Amino acid sequence: MPIGHLVAGGIGSIRTSGDLIGRMQLQKKMRLPEAKDYVAKKLGVSSIELCDEFTMRKLREKLDIGVITGLPGAAKGLEAKVRIAELLGIKINCVERLEKLSKV
Amino acid sequence: MPEHLTRRGDGRLITMTGKQIKDDLELGSKDAAERAKIPELTGEDLETLYEIIIDANKVVAVKHGCEVVLSADAGGSTFWIDSGTSGLGMPIERSIAQGALSERVLGLDILQFPESDGSFKPAKVIVSYLANVIHNTLHTSISPLEFMAMPNLGYFYKPDGQWPEPISLIREGKNDEARKSMEGAARECHDAIIYVAKHLRRVGVDGINIDTVGAAGDPDFYAALTATESLKKVYPDLAVQMGMATEAVHGFHTELKYAGERLAGMWPHQQLKVAEKAGVDIFGPVINTKPHLTFPWNLSRAVTFTKACVREATIPVHPNMGMGVGGVPMLETPPLDTVTRANKAMIEIAGVDGI
């Protein structure tokens, strides 16, 4: 069933920019237009391009914020989130924890 | 008059004429409006909804640029849970199901990590296990991740819990004792939510999704609201999503209030306002599907309730749209034609922020 929603009206998570927009909703209570606008400005793309695989696949690789395919050497998981926190100008709890633990 | 293929609220295929569909769309919207004292769908809304319903294509989709965030209820647990919750029962490691598969295969923008039983009380017992698996998931996934469970106040009453079962007390005319029991259970539930959240916050979880709220009536809703308020005071960086259980909060206690508002009998747009006051970050209204009525009737009704909720919201609204809610038929395997139509209608007519 989630796939039905994805096909009909989903942004596409890390396939495009859904994780970034979702994060602004969850962490900053942003309504959808505001969250899309915020992320689009940070990425330098239009709101249509936010959900476009052609644009976002290349851009995510260039920014090294995690891509959906198994690209060798690309940032994965927590590595990608460190870069996303900086890109979006927000704090991410597990990144904060990593930074705290890495200050030996 | 040509007939259109559509479905009943239980998922069964039926045919309806255009007039029958239009009549049901009007009746469904009217039902919601009368119950919750909210506006009916406009003529333009009904026309758009009609076009969505009669679209000859099996699968429909939103227009470019209208896509929304998916925080789909329980997410990747679809892979491993049992059929009682429409799961596939596959042998799969949980951090992979809730993390990588959810964001890479299901396309979920906000990941959900549910407790196996689905409730906060049993989650307390296995919180160390949950913390470990969530910790691993946070290392390997990119999208925000929430822990998800229900208040499920029923677990706090005898025989599972310590509090006297209140419905039996009410039957015996012992209303005061029943209310005291419900208030005690709500306090204990509040504490369970805080306990679990505290442990999962330590490993860096992004948020807590308190789901199926109100399933045990107004004290269940009260426990979720007060827990949210407490969490926001202690951990302002911990997001809270709240998903409801029903369209109306059932009055078991009947006198409980939050922020001065009586909880019993609240409709989605009213539930949203107290959720906002408690500090909820994303609100998920639930509109129940009536299986014996048609899909057009149910969808029109669900869109009417949800549109009123979205109109009053200052926070994102993600209606629940699994089997049996949000206009989707009550069927373990909801037909794709109905899921995609309900999705498009909620986005393009109700204006939801996510699903």
Side-chain angles (χ1 to χ4, degrees), chain A residues 50-61:
Chain A
L50 282 175
C51 308
D52 172 42
E53 290 88 343
F54 182 85
T55 305
M56 287 308 304
R57 174 63 184 78
K58 286 181 180 174
L59 186 56
R60 289 194 78 112
E61 182 177 343

Side-chain angles (χ1 to χ4, degrees), chain A residues 8-9 13 25 31 36 68 81, chain B residues 67 104 108-109 138 313 318:
Chain A
S13 195
Q25 285 198 346
R31 301 293 303 272
K36 280 188 172 178
I68 194 165
K81 284 189 276 195
Chain B
E67 300 90 342
R104 288 165 189 265
L108 301 185
D109 306 306
L138 286 164
H318 290 201

Side-chain angles (χ1 to χ4, degrees), chain A residues 1-23 25-33 36 47-48 51 60 65-70 75-81 84 92-94 96-97, chain B residues 60-62 64-70 103-110 135 138-144 146 201-206 237 239 279-282 310 313-316 318 321-323 334 336 339-340 343 347 353 355:
Chain A
M1 188 168 51
I3 291 176
H5 284 304
L6 169 66
V7 169
I11 296 172
S13 195
I14 62 171
R15 185 177 174 89
T16 54
S17 63
D19 60 315
L20 310 177
I21 298 166
R23 203 170 274 286
Q25 285 198 346
L26 190 66
Q27 293 188 217
K28 299 293 179 188
K29 298 182 197 279
M30 286 186 183
R31 301 293 303 272
L32 186 64
K36 280 188 172 178
S47 63
I48 295 288
C51 308
R60 289 194 78 112
I65 55 171
V67 294
I68 194 165
T69 54
K76 286 181 183 289
L78 192 51
E79 295 169 345
K81 284 189 276 195
I84 288 169
I92 296 177
N93 290 340
C94 59
E96 292 291 298
R97 178 186 154 88
Chain B
V60 302
V62 300
H64 272 290
C66 294
E67 300 90 342
V68 302
V69 170
L70 297 185
E103 66 185 2
R104 288 165 189 265
V105 178
L106 301 182
L108 301 185
D109 306 306
I110 298 175
H135 197 169
L138 286 164
H139 277 214
T140 53
S141 60
I142 297 171
S143 308
E146 297 175 308
R201 170 67 188 82
R202 283 178 57 203
V203 298
V205 77
D206 293 291
D237 56 358
V280 165
D281 297 282
I282 296 178
V310 170
T314 58
I315 59 174
H318 290 201
M321 295 186 68
M323 61 283 186
L336 270 180
V339 172
T340 57
N343 178 297
I347 295 171
D353 302 278
I355 287 170

Side-chain angles (χ1 to χ4, degrees), chain B residues 47-219:
Chain B
E47 190 56 39
T48 305
L49 196 48
Y50 176 71
E51 292 299 326
I52 293 171
I53 299 273
I54 67 162
D55 192 310
N57 295 296
K58 183 172 179 179
V59 170
V60 302
V62 300
K63 298 177 185 74
H64 272 290
C66 294
E67 300 90 342
V68 302
V69 170
L70 297 185
S71 61
D73 193 350
S77 61
T78 294
F79 291 111
W80 54 267
I81 53 177
D82 62 273
S83 66
T85 34
S86 291
L88 306 177
M90 289 161 56
I92 195 163
E93 202 277 322
R94 288 188 64 183
S95 69
I96 294 174
Q98 308 305 143
L101 285 180
S102 291
E103 66 185 2
R104 288 165 189 265
V105 178
L106 301 182
L108 301 185
D109 306 306
I110 298 175
L111 309 177
Q112 312 260 334
F113 196 107
E115 198 278 316
S116 304
D117 175 90
S119 308
F120 276 100
K121 188 180 175 187
K124 275 179 71 179
V125 183
I126 57 167
V127 74
S128 297
Y129 160 75
L130 291 169
N132 268 306
V133 190
I134 286 173
H135 197 169
N136 294 337
T137 312
L138 286 164
H139 277 214
T140 53
S141 60
I142 297 171
S143 308
L145 176 70
E146 297 175 308
F147 172 73
M148 171 192 169
M150 305 180 283
N152 194 358
L153 222 56
Y155 270 173
F156 296 89
Y157 301 128
K158 290 177 180 176
D160 298 307
Q162 63 167 315
W163 302 95
E165 197 275 293
I167 303 303
S168 301
L169 291 172
I170 291 171
R171 285 200 192 103
E172 293 167 18
K174 298 175 179 174
N175 290 351
D176 287 344
E177 288 91 331
R179 286 194 173 112
K180 279 182 186 164
S181 176
M182 289 185 242
E183 289 162 17
R187 277 196 304 275
E188 193 180 343
C189 180
H190 162 281
D191 293 348
I193 295 171
I194 304 302
Y195 179 89
V196 171
K198 179 180 76 175
H199 283 269
L200 302 183
R201 170 67 188 82
R202 283 178 57 203
V203 298
V205 77
D206 293 291
I208 300 291
N209 181 5
I210 309 176
D211 195 57
T212 323
V213 169
D218 49 343

